[in-house]
Every structure is written in C-alpha cells, then in structure tokens.
Amino acid sequence: MINAGVYPGLEPRLLLPQSVASPMNLAAELEAGTYRYPDDVDVLGELAASGLRGRGGAGFSAGIKWRGVAAASGAKVVVANGEEGEPSSLKDRWLLTHRPHLVLDGLLLAARVCGARRAIVYLSHPETEAAVRLALRELQDAGLLGDGPVPEVFMVEPTYVAGEETSVCRAINGGPALPLSKPPRPFERGVDDLPTLVSNVETLAHAAWIARHGGQRYREQGTADSPGTALVTLAGACRKPGVYEIPFGVSIADLFETAGGGFVSRPRGFALGGWFGGMIGPGGSAISCEFGACREAESGWGCGAVTVLGEHDDPVAFAAKVSNWYVGESAQQCGVCIKGTHAIAKTIQTLNQHGASDADRENLIRWGKILPGKGACAFLDGAAALGRSLVAHFPGEVAAGISSEKAQQEHA
C-alpha cells in the first residue's frame, strides 16, 4: 500500500480524495464528473497555453511533442509509458492503479489529436497491468471507447532502461527493451516505423485534465517555469513517505515539512529527481521544486522523486549502493557505459571502504565532466552525475574516505 496525500490547501487534480480512499473505477469517475473532455476543444492550443512539461524525466514541452507527431503525414502510434524503472519513484504505479481511467482518457485524447492507428499502454508491473485491463473492460462494456484505436497493453520486464523511449519502441517492435542510437527519434520513426508519441502516464493524466479545464486554469498553480501541479515520491528520513500532489514552486524543505510530515532528523543531504539526478547537500532544502531551479543546482527534477538522507545516514555509503545499481542496470550495449559505470562504482566503493586516493577523487570530478552524452542513451549521465555531485556536495565525507597512506604514496 502506497501512502498518498495532497499538499495542504491545494485543490487536487490527479490525487483526488476519493482516489486515496479507494482506486477509482469508471462509475466513480463518472460520479465525480472527472471523465472525458469536450469534443470540440482545441487540445494542441490548450496544451501550448498550459505550458505542460513531460513527467518522464526530461521535462520537455508536451505541446511541442504532441504537435510534432500530429503534423507528421500518414498513420501514427501513441504510447502511454508506465514502465517505472526508477527505484525511488512510485507515482506512476499509484496513478495507474488508482486512476487508470484518467491515464486512458489522456491516451485516447492523444490518439485522436495525433491521428494514431494504434494506442498502447506500456507497463512492467503486474498490479498496473491488472488495473489497466479492468479499466479497459469497463470502457468496452459501457461503449465508451469511441471510434479510435482500442488501447493495447504491452508488458515488459522492469528495468531502468526499458522506460527510455527508444527502448519502448524497440520492445513493442519485437526486440529487446534496450535503447537505440538516435536519430531517428520515436517522433520520426518508432513503433511499426511510424511517427510515435511516447508519453509518460502522468503527462497524459495532466493532458486529460487540461482538455477538460483549459490551459489557463492549469497555470493557476505552479510557476512560469513549471506550471501546474506534480506528483512526487518522498522517501528516506521523513515521517510520511509516499506519493503526494504538490504545486510546483514550493521548496524542498516545505515539501517534506508540509506534505511528508517533517524530517525524522536533521537532513544531511538529498537525492533529487530520483537516483538519476545525483546528490545535493543539506543546503538543497532551499531549492524550489521546479525544473529550472533544479537544473541551476546542477541536479534535476526528473521524475519528481526526492530521497532525504538523515543525520545518521552516510552519503558515501548511499552513493556506493546507487553506483552498484548503475552497474547492474546498464544496458551493456556501449563500451563507454560498461567501463564508465564500473569505474565510477569501483571508485565510490573504495571511498566507502576508506581506501581511496586523491586521484580517485579527481577521477570522479573528471568523469562527471567528460562522460555525459557519450552513451546511446543518457544512462551513463546519471552515473557520472552521482560521482561528481558526491565530491561537490560532500567534500568532508569524501576526504574521510581517502587513505592517508595512499595520499602519501601519491605525493612521494
């Protein structure tokens, strides 16, 4: 059971009170008046007005992405990406199991706008598959699927890289769920070699809400940089870990104090944007929850997952655990990624065992600068950010992991 709640004073858009008490079936959505949108709405216009940014990690403009696929000639495909491979994130699973109709509403909306001949829900967890299939049966029984494509469900083994958009298309096309080199990108040639819109399930849920209420109303919450609300996953040393709906623009400290029930102990640091965004020190509590502010802090909002390290948590030990995860989750397709993730993990493990050298610290800084962008996908970028941010934000802990004997040998 995932804890869930709404930022105090916020009128929820995705995380409705009735959805917290019990997953909302079609009857509950119809009773709440939250199903479907006016048929004559200018969806692309409202998306552009809303400023909606994608919630799968990159934060790219949803309006631009949808318009690009809609403008392509011929048949198209739309995919709801619910493969939540980020270990610290639970928000997509919560949404798919508690409000599957809102996600399907957004998917069918995207199919209509883009002129898609196929609509696919891409999943990796059994509980989300069961919820989506039940919701589809309800729509079929009620005759509410309309004239568009009947959504298909595609299951894949859960891995981090399986959710990357070229992995999504490759898997649906019958290959392994592993990234491909770009270009072409899916909006150019994806599933069935057709222009394909791959959209995170939270993005689709927001799009359905915007189609019903309009882009300007969507902007009544959030900031100019990051309009609207967001689902976040809070974890670590807080009293109420779980999934929450918040307005963009609150600080990290306010996020935990107001939504997460407060810190268990004085924060020692944070992992922001899931494990992909690297680490930040205790000063990160002042960062505003929005894409631009997180980027300026040399981290990222990513999937909206934030883990707090308490005063007794060791940042180096945490980084060592995450670096091992990077080694295990690598697609093993790019030599630079295989070597890079192993080298970063080995170096952080040596730090954790208090046997590192000054050269090891300098390597983590150097790799953090030169490795991003070198792989077929951005996976290596996250491992590089982990090492770089560990050194940058926790210099004392890193220094404690350097062996005095090795330091003397280096300077002899």
Side-chain angles (χ1 to χ4, degrees), residues 89-109:
S89 181
L90 296 171
K91 55 103 175 173
D92 290 341
R93 269 169 280 181
W94 186 92
L95 193 58
L96 285 162
T97 52
H98 286 255
R99 296 203 68 192
H101 284 287
L102 188 61
V103 175
L104 291 173
D105 201 15
L107 178 64
L108 292 169
L109 175 70

Side-chain angles (χ1 to χ4, degrees), residues 26-102:
L26 180 59
E29 294 280 3
L30 291 171
E31 182 180 357
T34 52
Y35 183 72
R36 281 297 169 100
Y37 42 82
D39 289 335
D40 59 350
V41 66
D42 175 11
V43 176
L44 292 177
E46 295 299 339
L47 280 180
S50 74
L52 174 65
R53 300 176 67 158
R55 303 304 162 79
F60 188 71
S61 165
I64 293 175
K65 193 173 183 179
W66 284 41
R67 189 176 294 276
V69 175
S73 60
K76 277 88 74 172
V77 178
V78 294
V79 181
N81 188 1
E83 201 294 304
E84 195 168 35
E86 166 60 59
S88 62
S89 181
L90 296 171
K91 55 103 175 173
D92 290 341
R93 269 169 280 181
W94 186 92
L95 193 58
L96 285 162
T97 52
H98 286 255
R99 296 203 68 192
H101 284 287
L102 188 61

Side-chain angles (χ1 to χ4, degrees), residues 3 15 60 72 84 97-98 136 160 164 262 279 285 291 300 336 373 376 393:
N3 292 328
L15 210 156
F60 188 71
E84 195 168 35
T97 52
H98 286 255
L136 285 171
Y160 188 84
E164 196 270 345
M279 302 171 67
S285 62
F291 289 97
V336 66
H393 294 287

Side-chain angles (χ1 to χ4, degrees), residues 12-16 19 94-95 99 102 202 205-206 231 245:
R13 297 171 175 182
L14 309 187
L15 210 156
L16 301 182
S19 67
W94 186 92
L95 193 58
R99 296 203 68 192
L102 188 61
E202 185 191 344
H206 284 293
L231 294 182
E245 185 171 6

